[in-house]
Each structure stands twice: as C-alpha cells, then as structure tokens.
DNA sequence: ACATTGACCGCGT
DNA sequence: TACGCGGCCAATG
C-alpha cells in the first residue's frame, strides 16, 4: 500500500495504546504535531486492517468517547466486543468512564 | 490539476 | 444541554 509516512505514524501511536485503554483521534493527531489533522487519523484507520502489524483500531474513539467508527468494523459489533473483552465497557455507543480509561499518547512519547 | 469526501474537533446559536 | 456548521489536511476519482 501507500507506505505514507503519515499513516505509519498514526499506526505507530495506535499500536502503543495499552490493553484496556482507549484514546481519541485528536489526541493521536496532536501527538503527531498535527492537531488539526484529526480527521486524517480517522481516515487512516480505515486502512488499519491493511497495515502490518495489526493495529488495535477498536481502541480509538472520538473526543467524546463515542464509537463513531464502529460501523467500519466487520461486523460493527466487533468493536464493542473487543473493548468489552479488554475490560472497557461500552454503553449506548460510548465508552463508560471515558476519562478514566483514556490514554494520552503524549505520555508515551515523552 | 480540480472538486469532493471523510472512523473529527470546537465554537456558536 | 442539545444540535448545527465550518475548518482542517490528505486521499481518491
């Protein structure tokens, strides 16, 4: 595939997300120094399954803790299922205790 | 090369 | 508090 540096950066951060934690598109974009390119992060996630090694895209949600990208999974319920399997509870399409399970990529970079 | 789109974010009403 | 709208940047046709 494209092998674009931008995508690789996004995947790299996403792979650092600890099990049982989640982060937001904006946080990843910010850690890359492109806070205004948060949309690109989500866009890149569409190709996450095509990336190697595997990228835990299910641990990435929007800034509200909403699972906006669940419909891009196969099947869509797979996202909640995997999150729940890791201890992250999803209620009404959003992550419960989002602020608590939220993981800041900046901490790992620093 | 131009126009459109998108797994978002933040502000304004 | 809830919904709408524009902006941002890269990829795709």
């Amino acid at each position: 595939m494209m092998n674009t540096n931008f995508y690789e950066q996004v995947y790299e951060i996403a792979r650092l997300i600890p099990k049982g934690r989640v982060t937001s598109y904006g946080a990843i974009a910010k850690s890359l120094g492109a806070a205004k390119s948060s949309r690109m992060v989500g866009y890149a996630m569409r190709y996450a399954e095509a990336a190697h090694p595997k990228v835990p895209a299910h641990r990435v949600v929007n800034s509200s803790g909403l699972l906006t990208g669940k419909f891009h999974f196969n099947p869509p319920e797979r996202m909640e299922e995997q999150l729940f399997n890791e201890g992250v509870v999803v209620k009404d399409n959003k992550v419960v205790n989002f602020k608590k399970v939220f993981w800041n990529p900046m901490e790992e970079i620093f």
Side-chain angles (χ1 to χ4, degrees):
Chain A
M1 286 296 290
M2 309 304 164
N3 291 348
T4 59
N5 201 338
F6 191 87
Y7 281 16
E8 280 300 320
Q9 293 277 7
V10 174
Y11 299 148
E12 187 124 353
I13 298 295
R15 284 193 280 256
L16 293 176
I17 305 174
K19 183 179 179 181
R21 296 288 176 118
V22 296
T23 190
S24 69
Y25 303 95
I28 295 178
K30 202 167 188 177
S31 66
L32 292 178
K36 301 176 181 184
S37 303
S38 52
R39 292 187 105 181
M40 299 305 102
V41 177
Y43 204 88
M45 279 309 176
R46 270 176 90 234
Y47 294 80
E49 52 182 337
H52 309 285
K54 194 184 176 187
V55 178
H58 61 278
R59 294 178 191 156
V60 184
V61 297
N62 74 349
S63 64
S64 303
L66 216 72
L67 275 61
T68 55
K70 68 181 270 186
F71 291 107
H72 289 257
F73 278 77
N74 177 29
E77 304 86 42
R78 189 62 186 249
M79 188 174 185
E80 298 182 18
E81 186 178 305
Q82 286 184 99
L83 285 174
F84 185 82
N85 199 3
E86 296 181 357
V88 179
V89 182
V90 176
K91 180 76 174 180
D92 195 39
N93 250 9
K94 79 181 182 200
V95 177
V96 179
N97 295 331
F98 176 59
K99 298 181 73 174
K100 294 201 172 186
V101 297
F102 179 79
W103 175 79
N104 194 338
M106 300 293 270
E107 297 178 358
E108 191 64 25
I109 293 178
F110 279 146

